[in-house]
Amino acid sequence: MNFIISLSVLFAFVTVFSSLWILDDMTTFGIEDHPFFSSELTEKPLIFLIGSSHVSMLNATYMNNILSQQNLDYTVFNLSYDGDKPSIRIHNLQEIISLNPKLVIYGISYRDFNSQNPDKNALFNNVLPDPKSLINKILPTTKFDQINPKRLTFDVLTSLNPKLSSQESNLKIPNTPFISFGEHATMIFNNTQLLKHPKGNIPIYSIDSSDDNPEVKNLKKIIQELNDNDIPLIIFSTPLHQNYLKTIPDSAKQDFKIIVDDVRNDYSITYYDFSNTYSNLDIWADLGHISLNEKSLVFSDDILKIILERFYT
Amino acid sequence: MLFNTIDFVIFFIFVLSIIAIIKNRNFQHIFLLCVSYFFFYFSSNYLISLLIFSTILDFYIGKMIWKTTSKQKKKMLLIISLTGNLGLLGFFKYADFAIMQFNILGNYFDLTNNIPLLNLALPIGISFYTFQTISYTVDIYREKLTPSKSLREFALFVSFFPQLVAGPIVRASEFLPQLREKIDGISKLKQITIHSNNLKLGITIMAFGFLKKMFFADNIAPLVNHVFSDPVGLDSMSIMLGTLAFGIQIYGDFSGYSDMAIGAALILGFKLPINFNKPYFATSPSDFWRRWHISLSSWLRDYLYIPLGGNKKSESRTYLNIAVVMILGGLWHGASWNFVIWGMLHGAYLVIHKLISDRFPSLNNKLFFKSKIGTLICILITQYFVFLAWIPFRANNLDHTIYSMQKFILFDFQTNGFISLIFQQKFSVGLIILFIILHIVSYKKYNIVEHINKLRLRYWTMILIVILGAVVFSYEGNPEDFIYFRF
């Protein structure tokens, strides 16, 4: 009888997880499947901005206007999207390469390399060996590690009935195909308001700077792949609010620096550090995102300067 | 190790497989002890030394208390045990809190030098296992319990992995006898066998635990966080909805953990006491505490309230005892004033309820209170106050607590913010409604778990698929901690 009960439980597990797998395959289209990559783009040479939503706050329309005023015949596309990190970006790298951009500017941040399963009692690990890290090394990463079932369920439900969506993300910016913005993203909040509503700060616990961290490994693969295809790459660390920076442990900052120094030395990459540049200015929509507001264009201006410097020199 | 992770699933399947394959009693018990220690070590690393210290201390002190005939020596040994356990608990859980209060007081008297905080990590489960070991030595002292036959059995009682980190708080008198069986009149270590009845019922109970925790509690949490991240400015309806949501979240979280623990233990052939019995249908404050975290409230009754004199002394002393027990019960949850306020409120409810019951004993016999409508009114009034007390438990600071409690009590008849909150948090609101419906169904059908367990295997499997589907398809990809792990 125990065997039959165990079989029933196994059957239940297989049914549910295979449904999840099938549904994910049927409904989830990666960025690589986005019509942008198969559409006819401008004949002008392309500049791509890539990274997470931190990068999304760079206003591609504004940047293109300035470039045309400067008679620079390039078009900027902001190809950032929510939740991007090297292990996700690598899946659409070939599509990016196939469009043959003249420059790729990649915004990275602490969150990209944050430990997957933060150990809230990390203090303990310094004394005796940690079985968790051993198990993580032994167990292979599966497709299920990448799936967010709740988001999948919502995607299916909202595709059946759009009224179920609670998102107010309806603002689209030209040349920014993979992300839409809510009203919140265009507003500026002062320090007091940001303290009261601490949003946009994914907690950073610790960063593994070694190649055991799949994000580090994938970042290096991305750089290598772009190098192999002679596509110039500039990396910058995305700006963060001072209240967010204060919450990041020094050890994590140090490990992030090790990652950056490593890739700079190994691949001769140009790197700009914006993490602290605007940390105390009133230009923030939340603790991790500069506002998409005309008063916050300083970030877009500074990236523009990098582009101009690149092409004028 | 969290129950709601793939690590635990692999761990538990491994444990069950070994137990099922190797039948040697000695091996089974040693194996269960080793995996329990591994379970604890997995999340607590070197702090396992505290568990081992508490185990060794109380095992030998228990033996000595039993052997000695001198009352004074017995008392002395008991004090050593209490000092050891409460010392551990006090140092790791309350030292920084005490230092903070001392510094505040020092600042008040213009003392310039603050004592630096120790910033100690709170060892997981310490509040639970120290209470278990205390009950062991106290019961031996009271001659209600004979000491454990071996250190191995006692260690397994303290560290038994299903209930180790968040209860239920098991008494030695409930657990130790389960480690032995009589064969031909001789007491031997029990053969651990996985019976099909236990397996099926255990899985059903665990499935309901997962449903409560991962489907309800974790998915209602966003609404709670939304309301309590900054409640100032919200209307009464929003505060009430947030409070209702938190009441459901904490119930789902904690009773879900208890269900998983009870189910996992049952599969291994051990019975753990129930910890929750539909607390939101309690008809009075004292009824609530007979239904909520039963293992803690009965522990506080037996090892704190009764030693303080219980209701055997004067009337005023009884009320004082109730208040002291509830405040300490609140403080048990964490070194913070909000838990003290929560305990004080419940103490006040119990005292007022007892006062009314004592002054007007005829009320208890009124037919109205035994009728359906009377019961319903009693439930609603009791739960109004229970949920009011959840506000200090959850709010982030005293300002938020005061504002939220004001809005909860003084209704403002505003609805704008409430309607937009509902639209923003549709999924959480839907789950609250579903939870209430299921809760009412479970109240009417007394034991829904038993009912499902008795279904034919094919229907049982279908229900398992539905529960597992609900859990998996609403899972966000990162396991959420159990709230009671913090205590």
Side-chain angles (χ1 to χ4, degrees), chain A residues 2 129 132 149-150 153 163, chain B residues 41 194 196 219 426 473 475:
Chain A
N2 280 356
K132 266 177 278 184
K150 191 173 177 181
T153 309
K163 282 183 186 171
Chain B
Y41 172 67
I194 300 167
S196 55
N219 288 302
K426 281 178 215 163
F473 279 92
Y475 176 62

Side-chain angles (χ1 to χ4, degrees), chain A residues 136-155:
Chain A
N136 285 343
K137 278 181 190 163
I138 295 167
L139 289 179
T141 313
T142 64
K143 182 182 173 176
F144 288 114
D145 296 325
Q146 310 286 335
I147 300 175
N148 178 340
K150 191 173 177 181
R151 182 174 279 189
L152 182 68
T153 309
F154 278 122
D155 287 348

Side-chain angles (χ1 to χ4, degrees), chain B residues 298-370:
Chain B
S298 60
W299 194 99
L300 290 172
R301 181 197 62 211
D302 294 345
Y303 299 101
L304 191 58
Y305 178 67
I306 292 174
L308 283 172
N311 57 1
K312 301 287 180 219
K313 297 193 172 171
S314 68
E315 204 176 359
S316 55
R317 178 64 189 266
T318 303
Y319 300 142
L320 181 71
N321 289 344
I322 292 172
V324 167
V325 168
M326 292 316 294
I327 290 169
L328 290 177
L331 206 54
W332 175 87
H333 287 81
S336 173
W337 286 110
N338 59 327
F339 296 123
V340 176
I341 297 171
W342 176 74
M344 279 166 68
L345 277 172
H346 274 282
Y349 298 161
L350 287 167
V351 167
I352 292 166
H353 177 251
K354 185 157 178 52
L355 207 70
I356 295 170
S357 304
D358 290 348
R359 291 281 182 277
F360 309 101
S362 59
L363 277 177
N364 292 329
N365 301 321
K366 286 264 185 223
L367 277 178
F368 174 75
F369 289 113
K370 288 175 181 164

Side-chain angles (χ1 to χ4, degrees), chain A residues 2-59:
Chain A
N2 280 356
F3 181 69
I4 298 170
I5 294 170
S6 304
L7 268 187
S8 304
V9 175
L10 184 68
F11 175 72
F13 268 87
V14 170
T15 308
V16 171
F17 281 96
S18 53
S19 311
L20 180 68
W21 185 290
I22 293 165
L23 198 65
D24 183 62
D25 261 2
M26 280 167 54
T27 56
T28 308
F29 301 104
I31 294 293
E32 58 274 22
D33 303 314
H34 195 281
F36 169 80
F37 289 116
S38 52
S39 63
E40 292 240 335
L41 297 177
T42 169
E43 291 194 348
K44 286 182 183 177
L46 302 170
I47 297 170
F48 288 161
L49 310 173
I50 61 173
S52 68
S53 57
H54 293 179
V55 179
S56 305
M57 303 312 182
L58 288 168
N59 192 329

Side-chain angles (χ1 to χ4, degrees), chain A residues 24-250:
Chain A
D24 183 62
D25 261 2
M26 280 167 54
T27 56
T28 308
F29 301 104
I31 294 293
E32 58 274 22
D33 303 314
H34 195 281
F36 169 80
F37 289 116
S38 52
S39 63
E40 292 240 335
L41 297 177
T42 169
E43 291 194 348
K44 286 182 183 177
L46 302 170
I47 297 170
F48 288 161
L49 310 173
I50 61 173
S52 68
S53 57
H54 293 179
V55 179
S56 305
M57 303 312 182
L58 288 168
N59 192 329
T61 312
Y62 170 76
M63 292 169 95
N64 282 320
N65 287 341
I66 302 283
L67 285 178
S68 57
Q69 282 167 23
Q70 302 271 337
N71 295 320
L72 258 182
D73 201 20
Y74 288 91
T75 303
V76 175
F77 279 92
N78 188 336
L79 303 188
S80 58
Y81 46 81
D82 270 344
D84 184 43
K85 47 188 181 178
S87 61
I88 302 176
R89 178 60 68 179
I90 198 142
H91 294 299
N92 53 63
L93 189 66
Q94 285 313 317
E95 283 72 18
I96 289 175
I97 290 171
S98 70
L99 294 172
N100 193 26
K102 295 298 168 221
L103 177 64
V104 172
I105 301 179
Y106 191 178
I108 56 171
S109 187
Y110 302 103
R111 59 167 290 289
D112 297 25
F113 307 95
N114 200 9
S115 288
Q116 280 293 312
N117 294 309
D119 181 5
K120 286 163 191 157
N121 298 312
L123 172 73
F124 303 160
N125 297 339
N126 300 329
V127 182
L128 293 174
D130 177 19
K132 266 177 278 184
S133 60
L134 193 72
I135 289 169
N136 285 343
K137 278 181 190 163
I138 295 167
L139 289 179
T141 313
T142 64
K143 182 182 173 176
F144 288 114
D145 296 325
Q146 310 286 335
I147 300 175
N148 178 340
K150 191 173 177 181
R151 182 174 279 189
L152 182 68
T153 309
F154 278 122
D155 287 348
V156 172
L157 290 175
T158 47
S159 68
L160 295 172
N161 182 2
K163 282 183 186 171
L164 288 170
S165 170
S166 59
Q167 299 292 319
E168 291 168 14
S169 313
N170 44 22
L171 174 66
K172 294 288 286 182
I173 298 218
N175 288 14
T176 309
F178 307 141
I179 194 163
S180 48
F181 302 90
E183 198 188 345
H184 170 89
T186 63
M187 292 159 79
I188 291 177
F189 296 95
N190 62 32
N191 202 23
T192 321
Q193 289 166 316
L194 289 170
L195 272 174
K196 276 182 88 178
H197 301 276
K199 288 176 185 163
N201 54 336
I202 295 169
I204 307 294
Y205 299 98
S206 61
I207 287 175
D208 175 6
S209 58
S210 74
D211 280 358
D212 288 342
N213 183 346
E215 303 305 334
V216 176
K217 210 190 289 179
N218 282 308
L219 176 68
K220 289 183 177 175
K221 272 188 197 170
I222 291 171
I223 298 170
Q224 186 62 52
E225 199 72 15
L226 291 170
N227 257 352
D228 292 348
N229 287 279
D230 294 326
I231 297 172
L233 173 70
I234 291 173
I235 292 182
F236 70 96
S237 61
T238 57
L240 299 170
H241 190 271
Q242 55 181 338
N243 296 350
Y244 189 178
L245 284 167
K246 275 181 208 161
T247 66
I248 300 172
D250 286 341

Side-chain angles (χ1 to χ4, degrees), chain B residues 4 60 76 163 243 254 265 287 367 386 401 416 419 423-424:
Chain B
N4 53 342
Y60 287 107
M76 194 64 146
Q163 44 74 231
T243 310
F254 192 22
D287 188 26
L367 277 178
V386 166
T401 302
N416 287 350
I419 289 166
F423 276 98
Q424 276 175 36

